[in-house]
């Protein structure tokens, strides 16, 4: 065309250049229009696209299914809006929570709809069963959103493309068990819904039971409900089952597997019948707790005080915020009847799983999805521990199987790591709001639980350990003693209430153990020794006191280290004689020396001389030979007595205790009689282990019988377990008894429980805490101190003297004191005679003068008493005369008045006689 145009231009020749340019532009425009028309025609032709069909099987009746449906649709819409070469077609089937419907839906999607992948709440067992009916299923990737329990090696070979997106349900069981262990509940009630995996895999409950055993707990009751969709009247059926559960004692309820709808009805009915009051504890699983952000206020109200766990995920990242905005808008349009429209973890999980299929679809060719890229979407097993309170719930802690509980999440890399640097496991659950607005940890038992019947030995030899007293006024029996105190203190440390009654048992200790073995008694408390032949019958608690077999024999008394210990060197009569002799001899010397010795004239000088002469430190010279004669034997006596005192005091201070029998071999060689408690195991131990002859063993039923048996030589030794030996020696400290020989180690004292009793482990833990805190030792010290105080108060003076037989009496010094006193008496007599002879005239004149003075005094006294008597006599005579005259006058007046009356009386008598 361009060539023809040029020919025309050359042929024209004379045409102007302007006309040429116009023609050229017009032709160029025509060509451009023609090209654009051709391109437009090509663009209007239909383009070939790659369509991928995805199937989904969900329970659209449940809130979880609704969340998953909306999330999947959002993921598909995002892909279709962004991709022009591939389109996703989501085909959703409603299972109605029925396992058979799930299988039918999977088969329908694989055969009729010919989907390239299936996603939804499909268990491995359901997929396996569907593959038995349709071979096409084994070539289709199936992505399961349910929590799985099967191990990879146990997966069916018919499903090589079965992908697990949910958590391992065994981790759920471990988390529940960790919560139970944290609050130290020993028995729990398990509640679950029989649907999907739980109905076909009993290993899930075995996993829970094993995890509970690791934390010291066990399953007490089971309560299984069929799928909620299969019940015609679920509320009445649930109420009936809960009422039967109310009759049992346990109040820790674990909902280990349930839909939100069933859990809501459970909590509602439990609140109505009183199973969500104070003392109860409820734990909800992940599939319930994970939906609490999307429920209405009535569900939150029914679950007040409930503790649960949910899968942890980041809610603040950009991806989730965009997803949340789209989810709320779409969910509100499709389900306007729902109050809350916040997406749950299950919605985000379904969104992520669908996105994984979307990403695989982008990279796939010919509509084939690659399993390797889909299987990378499993979430990390970290859970939030929550507590429902108020209008929502509060997050208390995090839990992971490897690191346990923690308050904080440190950071995120490929997997979330729990920060253990600032972890304080004791503070994680510091404040939990339980049902009934209770802040303390529920005991987990009903207060109306039956009382345990605990046996108490009523005829034990040592009442200090177990004592029984009957109060007639109150008609009540009281129990006391060291063993009772330890048990009651241990019960107070239990994390739950323990109701029990003590029951006196009159048989032997072995018979009481047999009663526990036969479960006639629920337990036995007392001074029961832990020995091998009893251990295979029952369980014992941790020993609350160490034990061993001791031999007690008589001993040489040990000298007490008292404040006035030196007084025990001499006996009482010796001390009195020493004091009397010293004063008497000092008086004699003072009397002899006072006339010629200026240093010994005063009484004070004499007293000081008495003190210093004991230590040969007197400075006063003795001038008269007579005084020296008196003092010389007394010096000798003081020397003897002082050395004797020193020797006696030394023997008291360094006295050593020597037992009368050194070992058990001596007893067996002599065939010596021995004593022990006849109701205990000691008889069996002495005969079978120590090889004593049975006829040499004397049985005693009371601690008070042993001292008399020792004194009467009925026994030469007594055998006690170590705690009993301490009590016995403390009570009879002044009886001259001591431990001797070797100690044979035993298992200690413990409390008796039936085999397999969980209470034995709880009491053992409490006893260990008491031992570590020193509480048990304090109780034992209090018991021994009380016994020692009573023993000191009850020890007689003779017994105390028997403990101090090294004291010296008067007899060894009687001859020496006699010599000293004889010299002193003779010297005193001689000195007095000399004084009388020397001063006879002076004495005579003094005597005459004294007699004269006494005569004068006698005369004056006699005259004085004579005058006093005369005056007194005259006064008495005068008084008598006046009294006599007065009496005579009164008698005369009386007679004068009586005469006329007598006359009238005689006249009247005569007149009457005449008439």
């Amino acid at each position: 065309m361009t060539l023809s145009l040029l020919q025309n231009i050359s042929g024209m020749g004379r045409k102007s250049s302007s006309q040429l340019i116009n023609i050229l532009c017009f032709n160029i425009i025509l060509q451009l229009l023609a090209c654009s028309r051709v391109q437009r025609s090509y663009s209007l032709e239909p383009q070939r696209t790659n369509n991928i069909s995805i199937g989904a099987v969900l329970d659209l009746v449940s809130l979880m299914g609704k969340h998953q449906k909306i999330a999947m649709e959002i993921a598909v819409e995002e892909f279709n809006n962004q991709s022009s070469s591939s389109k996703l077609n989501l085909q959703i089937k409603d299972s109605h929570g029925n396992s058979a419907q799930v299988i039918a839906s999977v088969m329908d999607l694989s055969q009729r709809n010919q989907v390239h992948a299936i996603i939804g709440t499909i268990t491995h067992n359901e997929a396996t069963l569907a593959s038995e009916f349709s071979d096409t299923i084994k070539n289709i990737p199936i992505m399961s959103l349910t929590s799985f329990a099967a191990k990879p090696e146990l997966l069916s070979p018919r499903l090589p493309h079965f992908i697990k997106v949910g958590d391992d349900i065994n981790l759920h069981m471990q988390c529940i068990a960790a919560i139970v262990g944290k609050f130290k509940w020993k028995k729990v009630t398990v509640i679950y819904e029989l649907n999907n995996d739980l109905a076909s895999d009993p290993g899930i409950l075995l996993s829970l039971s094993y995890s509970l055993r690791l934390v010291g707990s066990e399953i007490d009751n089971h309560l299984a409900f069929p799928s909620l969709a299969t019940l015609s009247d679920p509320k009445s059926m649930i109420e009936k089952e809960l009422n039967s559960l109310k009759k049992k004692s346990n109040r820790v309820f674990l909902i280990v597997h349930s839909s939100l709808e069933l859990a809501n009805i459970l909590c509602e009915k439990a609140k109505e019948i009183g199973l969500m009051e104070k003392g109860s504890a409820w734990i909800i699983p992940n599939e319930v707790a994970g939906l609490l952000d999307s429920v209405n206020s009535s569900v939150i109200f029914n679950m007040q005080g409930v503790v649960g766990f949910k899968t942890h995920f980041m809610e603040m990242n950009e991806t989730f915020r965009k997803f949340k905005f789209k989810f709320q808008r779409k969910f509100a349009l499709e389900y306007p009847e729902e109050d809350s429209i916040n997406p749950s973890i299950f919605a985000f999980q379904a969104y992520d799983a669908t996105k994984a299929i979307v990403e695989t679809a982008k990279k796939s060719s010919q509509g084939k999805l690659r399993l390797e890229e889909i299987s990378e979407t499993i979430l990390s097993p970290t859970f939030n521990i929550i507590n429902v309170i108020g209008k929502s719930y509060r997050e208390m802690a995090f839990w992971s199987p490897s690191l346990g509980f923690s308050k904080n999440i440190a950071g995120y890399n490929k997997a979330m790591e729990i920060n253990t640097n600032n972890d304080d496991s004791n503070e994680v659950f510091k404040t939990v709001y339980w049902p009934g607005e209770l802040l303390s940890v529920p005991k987990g038992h009903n207060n109306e639980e039956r009382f345990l019947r605990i046996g108490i030995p009523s005829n034990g030899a040592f009442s200090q350990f177990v004592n029984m007293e009957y109060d007639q006024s109150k008609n009540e029996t009281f129990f006391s003693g060291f063993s009772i105190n330890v048990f009651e203190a241990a019960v107070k440390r239990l994390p739950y209430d323990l109701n029990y009654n003590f029951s006196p048992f009159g048989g032997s200790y072995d018979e009481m153990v047999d009663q526990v073995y036969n479960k006639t008694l629920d337990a036995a408390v007392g001074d029961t020794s832990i020995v091998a032949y009893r251990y295979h019958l029952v369980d014992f608690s941790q020993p609350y006191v160490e034990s061993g077999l001791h031999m007690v024999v008589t001993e040489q008394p040990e000298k007490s280290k008292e404040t006035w210990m030196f007084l025990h060197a001499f006996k009482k009569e010796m001390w009195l004689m020493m004091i009397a002799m010293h004063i008497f001899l000092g008086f004699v010397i003072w009397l002899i020396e006072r006339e010629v010795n200026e240093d010994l004239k005063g009484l004070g000088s004499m007293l000081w001389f008495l003190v210093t002469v004991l230590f040969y430190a007197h400075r006063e010279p003795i001038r008269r030979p007579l005084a020296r004669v008196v003092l010389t034997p007394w010096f000798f006596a003081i020397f003897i007595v002082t050395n004797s005192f020193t020797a006696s005091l030394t023997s008291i201070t360094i006295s050593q205790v020597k037992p009368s029998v050194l070992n058990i071999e001596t007893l067996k060689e002599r065939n010596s009689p021995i004593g022990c408690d006849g109701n205990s195991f000691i008889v069996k131990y002495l005969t079978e282990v120590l090889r004593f002859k049975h006829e040499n063993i004397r049985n005693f039923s009371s601690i008070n019988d042993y001292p008399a048996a020792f004194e009467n030589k009925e026994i030469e030794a007594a055998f006690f377990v170590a705690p009993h030996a301490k009590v016995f020696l403390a009570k009879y400290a002044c009886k001259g008894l001591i431990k001797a020989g070797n100690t044979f180690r035993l298992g200690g004292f413990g409390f008796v429980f039936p085999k397999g009793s969980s209470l034995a482990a709880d009491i053992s833990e409490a006893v260990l805490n008491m031992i570590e805190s020193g509480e048990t030792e304090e109780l034992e010290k209090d018991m021994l101190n009380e016994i020692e105080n009573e023993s000191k108060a009850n020890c007689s003076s003779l017994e105390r003297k028997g403990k101090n037989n090294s004291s010296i009496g008067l007899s060894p010094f009687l001859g020496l004191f006699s010599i000293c006193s004889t010299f002193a008496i003779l010297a005193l007599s001689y000195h007095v005679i000399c004084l009388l002879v020397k001063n006879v005239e002076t004495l005579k004149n003094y005597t005459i003068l004294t007699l004269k003075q006494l005569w004068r005094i006698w005369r004056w006294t006699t005259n004085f008493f004579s005058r006093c008597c005369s005056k007194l006599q005259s006064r008495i005579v005068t008084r008598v005369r006046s009294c006599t005259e007065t009496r005579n006058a009164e008698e005369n007046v009386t007679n004068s008045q009586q005469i006329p009356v007598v006359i009238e009386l005689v006249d009247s008598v005569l007149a009457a006689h005449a008439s």
Side-chain angles (χ1 to χ4, degrees):
M1 183 178 294
T2 306
L3 180 60
S4 62
L5 181 60
L6 292 174
Q7 289 177 352
N8 290 332
I9 293 174
S10 61
M12 291 176 66
R14 298 178 178 177
K15 290 183 179 179
S16 64
S17 59
S18 60
Q19 291 177 345
L20 180 62
I21 293 172
N22 291 333
I23 293 172
L24 182 59
C25 291
F26 179 74
N27 282 281
I28 291 173
I29 292 172
L30 289 177
Q31 289 181 14
L32 293 174
L33 291 173
C35 290
S36 65
R37 184 178 295 272
V38 172
Q39 292 177 0
R40 184 178 179 185
S41 64
Y42 280 118
S43 64
L44 292 176
E45 290 181 2
Q47 186 177 5
R48 299 178 65 183
T49 59
N50 184 17
N51 293 322
I52 301 175
S53 181
I54 300 175
V57 180
L58 303 172
D59 179 11
L60 298 182
V61 178
S62 66
L63 182 61
M64 181 189 297
K66 296 175 183 178
H67 279 216
Q68 292 169 336
K69 174 180 178 295
I70 298 298
M72 291 180 185
E73 290 176 349
I74 292 173
V76 171
E77 288 177 1
E78 290 178 351
F79 176 79
N80 290 337
N81 291 335
Q82 296 173 2
S83 175
S84 59
S85 60
S86 299
K87 298 294 180 181
L88 286 179
N89 180 25
L90 181 63
Q91 301 183 35
I92 300 176
K93 297 289 186 178
D94 187 4
S95 66
H96 298 282
N98 189 294
S99 184
Q101 189 64 39
V102 172
I103 297 172
S105 299
V106 171
M107 294 175 59
D108 189 47
L109 288 172
S110 62
Q111 294 177 353
R112 181 181 302 177
N113 301 102
Q114 296 183 354
V115 296
H116 296 85
I118 300 176
I119 185 172
T121 51
I122 307 166
T123 66
H124 181 265
N125 292 327
E126 292 168 344
T128 302
L129 189 59
S131 67
E132 297 289 340
F133 298 99
S134 176
D135 292 335
T136 59
I137 295 178
K138 64 182 180 180
N139 299 320
I140 301 175
I142 298 177
M143 185 173 289
S144 175
L145 300 177
T146 61
S147 297
F148 61 91
K151 298 181 179 179
E153 59 270 17
L154 299 179
L155 296 178
S156 173
R158 295 183 60 85
L159 297 173
H161 305 307
F162 186 83
I163 306 163
K164 304 177 296 296
V165 178
D167 300 327
D168 185 352
I169 199 169
N170 291 318
L171 298 180
H172 294 194
M173 303 300 109
Q174 293 176 22
C175 184
I176 292 174
I179 296 174
V180 172
K182 192 68 179 179
F183 297 111
K184 299 181 180 180
W185 294 314
K186 299 305 176 183
K187 292 185 179 182
V188 298
T189 297
V190 174
I191 302 175
Y192 50 91
E193 184 177 3
L194 285 171
N195 60 0
N196 299 336
D197 247 0
L198 198 64
S200 57
D201 188 1
I204 296 175
L205 293 180
L206 291 177
S207 174
L208 175 62
S209 179
Y210 175 75
S211 299
L212 288 173
R213 281 189 173 273
L214 293 180
V215 297
S217 184
E218 61 181 352
I219 299 175
D220 192 23
N221 304 304
H222 289 267
L223 184 57
F225 292 99
S227 177
L228 197 62
T230 62
L231 297 176
S232 58
D233 189 6
K235 290 190 176 182
S236 60
M237 186 264 190
I238 291 173
E239 184 176 1
K240 179 181 177 182
E241 295 294 333
L242 289 178
N243 278 320
S244 64
L245 203 61
K246 186 179 180 181
K247 299 177 182 178
K248 300 180 180 180
S249 61
N250 188 261
R251 289 296 180 268
V252 179
F253 304 101
L254 311 181
I255 305 178
V256 298
H257 186 78
S258 170
S259 63
L260 172 67
E261 291 72 23
L262 177 60
N264 183 35
I265 299 175
L266 274 171
C267 293
E268 179 184 355
K269 293 302 178 182
K271 186 183 287 291
E272 290 179 0
I273 67 174
L275 283 180
M276 290 195 73
E277 297 178 349
K278 291 182 179 180
S280 300
W282 288 75
I283 298 178
I284 56 176
N286 181 43
E287 54 264 32
V288 177
L291 293 169
L292 292 181
D293 289 315
S294 308
V295 298
N296 54 40
S297 58
S298 63
V299 177
I300 298 295
F301 174 76
N302 292 333
M303 296 186 181
Q304 289 293 300
V306 167
V307 173
F309 65 97
K310 66 174 188 173
T311 304
H312 177 77
F313 69 101
M314 289 295 293
E315 300 182 10
M316 302 305 295
N317 56 28
E318 185 66 24
T319 302
F320 182 77
R321 285 199 297 267
K322 292 181 179 179
F323 167 73
K324 182 178 181 180
F325 174 75
K326 295 177 182 179
F327 180 90
Q328 289 176 337
R329 184 176 57 182
K330 188 173 181 63
F331 192 88
L333 292 174
E334 190 158 348
Y335 300 104
E337 71 278 4
E338 298 290 344
D339 294 340
S340 181
I341 53 176
N342 290 318
S344 64
I345 175 61
F346 307 106
F348 194 62
Q349 189 180 43
Y351 175 77
D352 273 353
T354 309
K355 289 282 286 186
I357 296 178
V358 167
E359 296 299 326
T360 305
K362 289 181 180 179
K363 303 174 184 179
S364 65
S365 61
Q366 299 178 355
K368 294 182 180 180
L369 301 182
R370 291 162 52 188
L371 172 66
E372 293 80 5
E373 298 180 6
I374 299 177
S375 60
E376 297 175 355
T377 58
I378 299 177
L379 296 179
S380 174
T382 302
F383 299 105
N384 284 57
I385 310 300
I386 66 167
N387 180 208
V388 180
I389 185 66
K391 297 182 179 180
S392 183
Y393 62 87
R394 51 189 289 263
E395 295 182 354
M396 298 185 295
F398 300 93
W399 181 88
S400 69
S402 58
L403 300 175
F405 292 104
S406 177
K407 280 189 174 182
N408 304 308
I409 291 290
Y412 290 84
N413 295 318
K414 291 184 179 180
M416 289 173 292
E417 297 179 356
I418 295 184
N419 184 1
T420 58
N421 296 329
N422 298 323
D423 181 28
D424 187 357
S425 58
N426 294 326
E427 298 294 327
V428 169
F429 299 106
K430 185 176 182 180
T431 304
V432 182
Y433 297 90
W434 300 99
E437 300 180 358
L438 184 68
L439 291 178
S440 59
V441 179
K443 302 300 182 181
H445 285 270
N446 184 14
N447 293 329
E448 299 177 357
E449 182 184 10
R450 76 174 185 90
F451 282 70
L452 298 179
R453 185 170 176 240
I454 298 179
I456 298 294
S458 60
N459 57 353
F462 289 80
S463 60
Q464 293 80 6
F465 287 84
V466 177
N467 187 35
M468 181 179 65
E469 295 180 355
Y470 178 73
D471 190 346
Q472 295 182 351
S473 61
K474 296 182 180 180
N475 192 23
E476 188 175 356
T477 303
F478 295 94
F479 299 91
S480 60
F482 173 67
S483 299
I484 302 297
N485 295 337
V486 172
F487 179 76
E488 291 177 344
V491 168
K492 292 179 181 178
R493 291 175 176 262
L494 295 178
Y496 52 85
D497 289 332
L498 183 67
N499 299 318
Y500 61 91
N501 285 324
F502 288 134
S503 177
F505 184 79
S508 66
Y509 285 81
D510 286 340
E511 292 172 346
M512 185 172 67
V513 170
D514 289 337
Q515 292 292 309
V516 177
Y517 170 72
N518 297 328
K519 296 187 177 180
T520 305
L521 295 174
D522 297 308
V525 171
D527 47 347
T528 310
S529 294
I530 303 174
V531 289
Y533 73 90
R534 293 172 178 171
Y535 203 81
H536 74 280
L537 297 175
V538 294
D539 283 344
F540 285 92
S541 68
Q542 177 72 21
Y544 59 87
V545 64
E546 294 293 332
S547 184
L549 191 65
H550 291 301
M551 180 176 69
V552 176
V553 297
T554 56
E555 51 101 15
Q556 292 181 358
E558 183 180 3
K559 303 305 175 183
S560 59
K561 306 299 185 292
E562 300 176 359
T563 304
W564 303 98
M565 181 181 62
F566 68 93
L567 295 176
H568 297 302
F570 291 150
K571 293 185 178 180
K572 183 178 179 181
E573 57 269 24
M574 179 64 182
W575 284 113
L576 294 175
M577 180 57 72
M578 280 284 298
I579 295 171
M581 285 291 298
H582 197 60
I583 294 174
F584 173 68
L585 292 173
F587 172 77
V588 170
I589 294 171
W590 172 76
L591 192 62
I592 296 173
E593 287 287 313
R594 62 188 295 269
E595 294 181 354
V596 296
N597 197 336
E598 295 292 335
D599 296 328
L600 291 177
K601 282 190 174 182
L603 182 61
S605 299
M606 183 198 72
L607 296 176
W608 177 247
F609 175 77
L610 292 177
V611 174
T612 56
V613 76
L614 291 173
F615 307 99
Y616 308 103
H618 57 284
R619 297 181 181 179
E620 299 81 0
I622 304 300
R623 302 184 184 279
R624 288 188 172 180
L626 188 60
R628 293 173 183 174
V629 171
V630 175
L631 191 58
T632 299
W634 184 237
F635 274 152
F636 181 74
I638 291 176
F639 175 79
I640 299 298
V641 170
T642 303
N643 283 278
S644 299
F645 175 82
T646 304
S648 179
L649 185 61
T650 302
S651 67
I652 292 174
T653 306
I654 64 173
S655 61
Q656 297 180 352
V657 177
K658 295 181 180 179
S660 59
V661 180
L662 296 178
N663 49 51
I664 63 171
E665 284 74 16
T666 304
L667 292 173
K668 290 191 284 188
E669 289 174 0
R670 298 177 183 173
N671 279 331
S672 301
I674 58 176
C676 67
D677 182 5
N679 287 328
S680 70
F681 76 100
I682 300 179
V683 176
K684 186 175 182 179
Y685 189 88
L686 291 174
T687 55
E688 296 182 2
V689 179
L690 300 183
R691 302 298 180 183
F692 278 96
K693 296 180 180 179
H694 196 277
E695 57 269 19
N696 292 335
I697 299 175
R698 308 289 185 266
N699 295 332
F700 296 93
S701 59
S702 173
I703 185 178
N704 301 320
D705 298 334
Y706 290 95
F710 275 112
E711 292 177 2
N712 299 331
K713 305 299 181 179
E714 296 178 14
I715 58 175
E716 289 191 24
F719 286 87
F720 304 98
V721 290
H724 289 172
K726 290 180 182 179
V727 172
F728 179 76
L729 294 176
K731 184 173 183 179
Y732 297 106
C734 55
K735 292 293 184 180
L737 302 170
I738 188 177
K739 289 189 293 184
N742 297 327
T743 298
F744 302 94
R745 187 174 179 83
L746 299 173
F749 284 175
F751 305 123
V752 187
F753 300 93
K755 276 288 185 182
S757 173
S758 60
L759 184 58
D762 297 343
I763 293 294
S764 295
E765 182 180 357
V767 168
L768 284 174
N769 290 331
M770 291 177 61
I771 294 174
E772 293 172 0
S773 64
E775 186 177 356
T776 305
E777 185 178 359
E778 288 297 325
L779 290 173
E780 186 177 14
K781 284 182 179 179
D782 292 343
M783 174 186 66
L784 294 177
N785 290 336
E786 183 179 355
I787 295 172
E788 289 175 355
N789 294 333
E790 292 178 358
S791 174
K792 291 178 181 179
N794 295 331
C795 273
S796 64
S797 59
L798 292 177
E799 290 172 335
R800 293 184 184 273
K801 288 179 181 178
K803 296 287 287 182
N804 301 297
N805 54 10
S806 297
S807 300
I808 300 176
L810 178 61
S811 299
F813 305 97
L814 192 58
L816 186 60
F817 286 162
S818 298
I819 293 173
C820 293
S821 59
T822 300
F823 274 88
I825 292 172
L826 292 175
L828 179 62
S829 301
Y830 176 77
H831 181 70
V832 171
I833 292 172
C834 290
L835 287 176
L836 292 175
V837 171
K838 183 179 180 181
N839 300 308
V840 63
E841 290 296 330
T842 305
L843 183 61
K844 180 179 178 181
N845 296 331
Y846 180 79
T847 303
I848 293 172
L849 181 62
T850 303
L851 290 175
K852 287 181 179 181
Q853 291 177 351
L854 291 175
W855 174 249
R856 291 175 183 176
I857 293 172
W858 170 254
R859 288 182 63 187
W860 182 86
T861 305
T862 304
N863 294 331
F864 176 79
F865 276 103
S866 298
R867 289 194 296 269
C868 291
C869 291
S870 299
K871 292 181 180 180
L872 182 61
Q873 183 178 5
S874 62
R875 290 180 181 179
I876 292 173
V877 171
T878 305
R879 184 69 179 269
V880 169
R881 287 178 180 177
S882 62
C883 291
T884 303
E885 294 174 356
T886 303
R887 182 177 297 177
N888 292 333
E890 290 176 353
E891 289 178 354
N892 292 331
V893 173
T894 302
N895 292 332
S896 63
Q897 292 177 352
Q898 290 179 351
I899 291 174
V901 176
V902 172
I903 294 173
E904 291 178 0
L905 180 61
V906 171
D907 292 339
S908 60
V909 171
L910 292 175
H913 182 73
S915 61

